[in-house]
Amino acid sequence: MKRNEISELYHGFPGTSQIIDKLGKSETIRINIDGLTGSSKSVVVATVYEKLQTSHIVIVPEKEDAAYFYNDLVSLLGDESVFFFPSTFKRSVLFEQTEPANIVLRTEVLSHLSSGKRKGIIVSYPEAVMEKVINKRNLKKNTLKIAKGDKLSSDFIEEMLHEYGFDRVDFVYEPGQYSIRGSIIDVFSFSSDLPFRIDFFGEEVDTIRTFNTEDQLSVKQQDVIQIIPNIQDVSVEEISDSFTDFVPPSSIVWTEESDFMKEKINSIYQQTLQREESGQLSGRKDLIMTGNRFFQECEKFRMIGLGRNGLINAGENLSFHTEPQPAFNKNFELLSEKLLANKLIDYKTYIISENQSQIDRLSEIFAEISPGVHFIPLIFNLHSGFTDHDLKISVYTDHQIFD
């Protein structure tokens, strides 16, 4: 975790210690956590992940909320261990248009899980997890693994790429393309957000690195890479597994409003059947599953529900005491009054911003209207502010203050 004062507070907080302790004692535990608001949810998830570094799956009701949760976790943990698992489609399976960037993100997650890596947080939402995925056997069959020092011919790699449906171009700029120039093969896998440059010395892989398509400059050296085609182009027979089939048994699943999400998936499933029967869609019902089936699959893991309706029939219940950041609406007098009130009751106030200039701007405003105001600035990003009454802290975000 990118440690800051807030992270440190939650690492030593009895509430998070209780969660970690209970998760460590059972492989099938179901915990419901009430009272977390705003970005306190993502702070708690990040804190638990730091202590229990297995695979954590976070599923929230809406795509937009999932994106905010993902961004919070990246801000807290860095982007190496946090993944986003979106729907193949721009909206959902009910609509025709697929989103190539989403296919890359989905493939990246499946590639990460199938490689045996058990650490990471994957954030998703109902429309995404209800889609079936390529089964493990066929993913392995459709994966070309290349390591530095491998004895390979460029002809062999080109033959495999052709079989995978990759297009040969002069310069790669999107997934599904490759180019060959002398001893160098550039290939843009569907499992990576950057293309790979493979440099040969004779018939030995000399170097592998990712590079930027805009300026062609190298980004990072790689020892081993996996090249995967568009897994949405495989036959329906190969798309048969639930996303959870790739998730390690030791994983922890976090859900918010699980009953609502189950019904949402069931509703989309029924609408898909109706549209197929009326001829508006074809070949979709075999690519999705019901909410009942998905949440039944989740029950083989440790589960945590967030919110009063986070998890039905939880065996353990824990409570936090937080409330959302007030709406200040650029009313700096109101904000200064709140900060002074916090000080009187021994609450620390943190104001979070990605930009030092915003912190400086607030300091100047307070110097003019209320010189006695004090706050602790932190330079990073969270989506939603909150007050934690157990820790006696208020965490406010600059974008909510200036909205």
Side-chain angles (χ1 to χ4, degrees):
M1 181 180 279
K2 297 177 181 178
R3 291 295 174 89
N4 56 52
E5 203 166 329
I6 296 170
S7 302
E8 293 293 347
L9 286 169
Y10 276 90
H11 270 275
F13 180 53
T16 46
S17 298
Q18 268 190 298
I19 299 169
I20 293 160
D21 183 56
K22 290 179 184 298
L23 287 170
K25 288 180 177 177
S26 172
E27 295 179 357
T28 56
I29 194 164
R30 293 164 63 84
I31 306 170
N32 205 73
I33 301 172
D34 189 21
L36 290 173
T37 58
S39 291
S40 66
K41 297 171 189 175
S42 46
V43 174
V44 167
V45 171
T47 304
V48 173
Y49 170 75
E50 280 287 284
K51 293 292 185 181
L52 298 173
Q53 288 200 3
T54 182
S55 291
H56 292 245
I57 317 301
V58 179
I59 310 164
V60 296
E62 303 296 337
K63 178 182 179 179
E64 185 178 14
D65 294 333
Y68 288 138
F69 212 117
Y70 166 80
N71 289 332
D72 277 358
L73 290 172
V74 168
S75 183
L76 291 162
L77 297 166
D79 60 7
E80 292 291 320
S81 56
V82 186
F83 301 85
F84 192 63
F85 190 74
S87 168
T88 303
F89 303 89
K90 276 197 169 182
R91 294 173 65 185
S92 80
V93 70
L94 289 169
F95 303 95
E96 292 290 339
Q97 196 167 11
T98 59
E99 177 58 71
N102 288 1
I103 295 170
V104 172
L105 291 171
R106 287 176 69 86
T107 309
E108 184 182 13
V109 170
L110 297 181
S111 175
H112 170 80
L113 292 171
S114 65
S115 68
K117 295 174 183 173
R118 292 175 178 263
K119 295 179 183 179
I121 303 182
I122 298 161
V123 184
S124 193
Y125 52 96
E127 290 88 342
V129 295
M130 73 179 294
E131 291 180 40
K132 295 177 185 176
V133 298
I134 186 172
N135 60 52
K136 287 183 179 180
R137 179 173 56 83
N138 283 305
L139 180 62
K140 187 175 181 180
K141 186 179 76 174
N142 285 282
T143 299
L144 176 59
K145 189 175 179 180
I146 300 175
K148 188 177 172 182
D150 279 354
K151 305 287 186 191
L152 292 170
S153 71
S154 57
D155 288 343
F156 169 76
I157 293 178
E158 183 170 20
E159 184 181 329
M160 291 299 298
L161 293 174
H162 181 73
E163 186 178 315
Y164 285 171
F166 280 67
D167 297 321
R168 182 167 179 172
V169 295
D170 292 332
F171 297 97
V172 302
Y173 58 87
E174 64 181 11
Q177 296 178 333
Y178 74 97
S179 70
I180 300 177
R181 297 184 308 282
S183 64
I184 294 173
I185 297 180
D186 291 345
V187 58
F188 209 143
S189 171
F190 276 89
S191 61
S192 173
D193 54 5
L194 288 173
F196 301 115
R197 180 159 288 159
I198 308 163
D199 200 347
F200 286 84
F201 183 76
E203 291 199 345
E204 181 177 315
V205 177
D206 187 34
T207 62
I208 308 171
R209 55 194 183 274
T210 53
F211 68 94
N212 192 306
T213 56
E214 297 294 326
D215 55 21
Q216 297 293 305
L217 294 177
S218 298
V219 175
K220 189 177 180 181
Q221 294 282 342
Q222 304 285 325
D223 292 323
V224 183
I225 60 170
Q226 294 189 102
I227 298 170
I228 301 176
N230 183 351
I231 56 175
Q232 299 305 127
D233 282 348
V234 298
S235 67
V236 171
E237 289 74 23
E238 294 180 39
I239 300 176
S240 58
D241 285 3
S242 164
F243 157 66
T244 58
D245 291 326
F246 280 78
V247 176
S250 62
S251 299
I252 299 164
V253 177
W254 302 72
T255 69
E256 191 172 359
E257 298 183 50
S258 59
D259 219 33
F260 169 79
M261 291 196 289
K262 182 193 294 185
E263 292 310 312
K264 184 177 184 179
I265 293 173
N266 284 339
S267 174
I268 294 171
Y269 185 86
Q270 289 302 321
Q271 288 178 67
T272 303
L273 294 185
Q274 289 166 10
R275 291 196 180 194
E276 289 212 350
E277 287 170 5
S278 66
Q280 293 175 274
L281 287 175
S282 64
R284 295 292 175 84
K285 71 177 188 293
D286 294 325
L287 303 179
I288 56 175
M289 68 186 75
T290 63
N292 291 21
R293 177 185 163 185
F294 175 75
F295 279 94
Q296 186 176 17
E297 298 272 356
C298 288
E299 288 177 2
K300 59 190 177 188
F301 306 105
R302 291 171 288 180
M303 294 189 73
I304 298 179
L306 296 172
R308 192 166 296 172
N309 301 313
L311 197 63
I312 306 302
N313 300 323
E316 301 271 357
N317 291 283
L318 296 174
S319 290
F320 284 70
H321 304 94
T322 73
E323 63 181 55
Q325 174 174 334
F328 295 111
N329 301 316
K330 296 183 184 176
N331 186 334
F332 298 108
E333 285 80 7
L334 180 63
L335 175 59
S336 64
E337 288 172 11
K338 185 62 180 172
L339 268 61
L340 289 169
N342 281 350
K343 186 179 179 181
L344 286 173
I345 58 174
D346 293 325
Y347 277 47
K348 287 184 178 179
T349 301
Y350 298 86
I351 295 184
I352 293 174
S353 175
E354 288 186 285
N355 301 310
Q356 182 63 46
S357 60
Q358 286 285 67
I359 297 294
D360 295 340
R361 183 182 171 196
L362 279 169
S363 297
E364 290 168 5
I365 291 170
F366 290 139
E368 285 184 18
I369 65 171
S370 186
V373 163
H374 173 73
F375 66 91
I376 303 165
L378 292 174
I379 306 299
F380 76 112
N381 183 52
L382 288 177
H383 174 61
S384 300
F386 59 92
T387 292
D388 190 315
H389 295 293
D390 295 314
L391 286 172
K392 291 193 170 185
I393 59 170
S394 288
V395 181
Y396 298 154
T397 67
D398 67 326
H399 61 267
Q400 287 175 289
I401 291 170
F402 285 101
D403 275 352

